[in-house]
Amino acid sequence: MPNEPAEYLFGLAFALHLSFESSISNSNSLPEDEASQPTSYHAQFLTTKLLITIHFHKQFSCLHLNLNMRSINRCIFWFLTLSVNLVVSSAFTGTYGVNYGRIADNIPAPESVVTLMKAAKIMNTRIFDADHEVLKAFKGSGIEIMVGLGNEFLRDISMNEDRAMNWVKENVEPFLPGTRIVGIAVGNEILGGGDQELWEVLLPAVKNVHNALDRLQLAGKVQVSSPHSAAVFATSYPPSAGAFKESVMPYMKPLLEFFSQIKSPFYINTYPFLAYISDPDHIDLNYALFKKNPGIYDQKTNLHYDNMFEAQIDASYAALEKAGFEKMEVIVSETGWASHGDPNEAAATLTNARTYNMNLRKRLLKKKGTPYRPKRVVKAYVFAMFNENLKPGPTSERNFGLFKADGSISYNIGFTGLVPSSAKSFITMKGFGSIQLMFYTISAAALVLIISL
């Protein structure tokens, strides 16, 4: 047994280092989807190594200077607080998420949806409101959730910060930290849409929500954003020609300036499916589906694209660069492929939906960038969790689900349907993640040590 408390601390830190190293090394033996999901844990591991180095060379110089026990306790408490915050403040675990739309009267209860997501190792989800029953169901699941502030609330929220504060206090603050709310999407597809009054109130609403979070000391944990549709672009082909519409720029630029200040990414809803059905005579279906094809060549950048998904993302990067925001990250807030459609939506088939979503999942799990931004790992929320039988519009709108209303799979891309309730506890533990579980266990042991000192 070590004789000095400081030796306990060094042993604890060294064990933490070895445990993270071992867990990440062992991830190479996991199936590809499981090994690829905890990207944020890899970052936590590297940051923790750095913290340990800094603390033991500087803060923990008390090993040689015989500082009193109160100083040691302060050092450890500061270290553990920062380390735990690294886990809490993660904005997107891995690269794969799913939109959990609920415009339906026949889909599973939220508790069953949580079980389903955990079985599929889906660690990121986005809902389009802040339904309290859904937020309660996700408590303790470890799944990171982005809530939505609907378009219908924007005018009211934009009027003053108190109204934004009331919304955050009612729909976000009470559920933290048990439910891992990591973002608020303020509105959806506002700029470029038909209601120009909403264009004008979007930025004030975004600012008021962020300021409310800031006053509640939640701005460092809950990110504010606003997803856009392709309607914000004047051009997107070839990718280097990507540019925002002149009519949108007076509203887009100040919004991007604010997001740049608060370190929020640019969220874009990207649908090769919609692009293809709008112009099937000039777009190669294989190019839209990630299948083997000649691809396109962008003469300006000398880059080759073999799939439309990456080309659309790089068009967003090109537009941001032209607007003066070349360092902003692009995250795909929606993408997917319908499995059934109207006669004029011939590409909406079960086979095409399976092909797109299977290839998309494989592509995301590679944790790669795009041709134009090779160091920016692509992250995306797939649309959608379920077929939603009450959605208006063409038949395709009701058939984007990875799962059917009863929780069974719509088609096989490696997920399983709902499992018996007897397996729920196992799924919960597995979904929590061995690295995160180990981290909390060691942190708890450290806190006990601090108390005993």
Side-chain angles (χ1 to χ4, degrees):
M1 295 287 291
N3 296 321
E4 296 293 331
E7 292 179 80
Y8 280 102
L9 305 182
F10 184 83
L12 177 67
F14 186 66
L16 181 65
H17 163 81
L18 289 180
S19 298
F20 268 85
E21 189 87 62
S22 174
S23 297
I24 291 171
S25 297
N26 290 340
S27 71
N28 293 330
S29 63
L30 295 173
E32 183 183 39
D33 56 345
E34 188 171 347
S36 301
Q37 278 296 337
T39 301
S40 63
Y41 299 153
H42 289 237
Q44 291 160 18
F45 162 68
L46 294 174
T47 309
T48 302
K49 284 180 68 176
L50 178 61
L51 284 172
I52 291 172
T53 303
I54 293 172
H55 283 292
F56 279 95
H57 281 287
K58 294 185 179 180
Q59 300 286 2
F60 291 168
S61 58
C62 51
L63 288 170
H64 302 289
L65 299 178
N66 296 317
L67 296 181
N68 60 42
M69 295 310 301
R70 182 178 297 177
S71 298
I72 297 175
N73 287 345
R74 282 201 300 267
C75 289
I76 308 170
F77 181 77
W78 187 79
F79 165 72
L80 288 174
T81 300
L82 276 184
S83 299
V84 172
N85 280 341
L86 286 172
V87 175
V88 173
S89 62
S90 170
F92 199 115
T93 297
T95 57
Y96 191 91
V98 177
N99 287 272
Y100 171 23
R102 305 187 327 282
I103 305 178
D105 60 6
N106 58 355
I107 59 178
E111 293 78 11
S112 296
V113 176
V114 172
T115 300
L116 188 57
M117 286 188 181
K118 288 187 152 195
K121 303 183 184 72
I122 296 168
M123 297 308 296
N124 308 277
T125 192
R126 175 182 169 224
I127 59 176
F128 295 86
D129 53 22
D131 185 274
H132 290 192
E133 293 306 309
V134 173
L135 297 179
K136 289 175 185 175
F138 277 83
K139 182 178 181 180
S141 69
I143 297 171
E144 296 181 344
I145 183 167
M146 179 188 291
V147 301
L149 194 160
N151 296 357
E152 66 272 21
F153 298 112
L154 293 188
R155 292 179 179 86
D156 186 55
I157 294 293
S158 70
M159 291 182 180
N160 62 66
E161 194 175 305
D162 288 340
R163 298 188 183 189
M165 176 66 77
N166 291 338
W167 190 90
V168 172
K169 282 187 173 182
E170 180 181 347
N171 298 294
V172 177
E173 186 183 35
F175 302 97
L176 295 170
T179 300
R180 295 193 64 186
I181 300 174
V182 296
I184 301 173
V186 179
N188 186 49
E189 299 189 340
I190 298 298
L191 299 184
D195 190 343
Q196 291 208 12
E197 185 182 342
L198 290 183
W199 298 18
E200 297 174 359
V201 301
L202 177 58
L203 180 57
V206 165
K207 286 184 174 180
N208 285 344
V209 171
H210 174 76
N211 291 340
L213 290 169
D214 194 39
R215 284 168 55 188
L216 293 170
Q217 298 184 327
L218 297 175
K221 300 174 182 176
V222 182
Q223 189 180 74
V224 179
S225 61
S226 186
H228 304 286
S229 74
V232 299
F233 299 119
T235 56
S236 60
Y237 179 84
S240 62
F244 295 118
K245 290 178 179 176
E246 289 187 14
S247 60
V248 166
M249 278 302 291
Y251 305 92
M252 179 66 81
K253 188 156 188 175
L255 182 68
L256 294 176
E257 286 173 349
F258 184 69
F259 283 153
S260 180
Q261 292 171 12
I262 65 174
K263 311 299 183 186
S264 286
F266 178 83
Y267 280 93
I268 184 69
N269 296 340
T270 296
Y271 284 95
F273 167 74
L274 296 178
Y276 176 78
I277 64 172
S278 69
D279 192 11
D281 294 333
H282 297 96
I283 297 176
D284 185 345
L285 180 59
N286 289 337
Y287 177 65
L289 293 173
F290 297 92
K291 294 177 73 174
K292 187 176 181 180
N293 67 94
I296 68 164
Y297 176 71
D298 192 324
Q299 292 185 346
K300 182 177 179 180
T301 58
N302 293 323
L303 294 173
H304 179 264
Y305 292 84
D306 60 13
N307 67 84
M308 185 183 290
F309 177 73
E310 292 183 1
Q312 289 180 334
I313 294 173
D314 276 354
S316 299
Y317 276 121
L320 288 170
E321 191 172 295
K322 291 181 179 71
F325 301 92
E326 64 276 0
K327 294 183 180 180
M328 185 170 286
E329 180 183 15
V330 172
I331 295 180
V332 176
S333 38
E334 292 180 31
T335 189
W337 199 284
S339 60
H340 185 57
D342 293 321
N344 64 337
E345 300 175 308
T349 67
L350 202 67
T351 299
N352 288 343
R354 180 185 180 278
T355 299
Y356 181 82
N357 281 295
M358 173 74 86
N359 290 335
L360 172 68
R361 187 171 178 231
K362 288 179 179 178
R363 193 260 172 258
L364 291 174
L365 291 175
K366 291 179 181 178
K367 296 181 289 185
K368 292 171 52 181
T370 61
Y372 195 54
R373 288 286 189 273
K375 294 183 180 179
R376 285 280 194 182
V377 175
V378 177
K379 305 171 186 176
Y381 291 92
V382 175
F383 190 87
M385 194 72 184
F386 299 103
N387 290 329
E388 299 173 71
N389 67 329
L390 298 182
K391 288 198 74 175
T395 300
S396 60
E397 284 292 318
R398 295 177 287 281
N399 290 279
F400 274 89
L402 299 175
F403 298 89
K404 298 178 182 178
D406 62 1
S408 63
I409 57 174
S410 296
Y411 38 80
N412 184 17
I413 62 168
F415 294 148
T416 57
L418 282 174
V419 296
S421 58
S422 60
K424 186 173 181 180
S425 59
F426 167 76
I427 293 169
T428 301
M429 183 62 69
K430 187 175 181 181
F432 186 71
S434 59
I435 297 176
Q436 193 172 14
L437 181 63
M438 172 277 302
F439 180 80
Y440 283 140
T441 302
I442 293 177
S443 297
L447 289 173
V448 171
L449 176 59
I450 292 170
I451 295 171
S452 66
L453 293 175

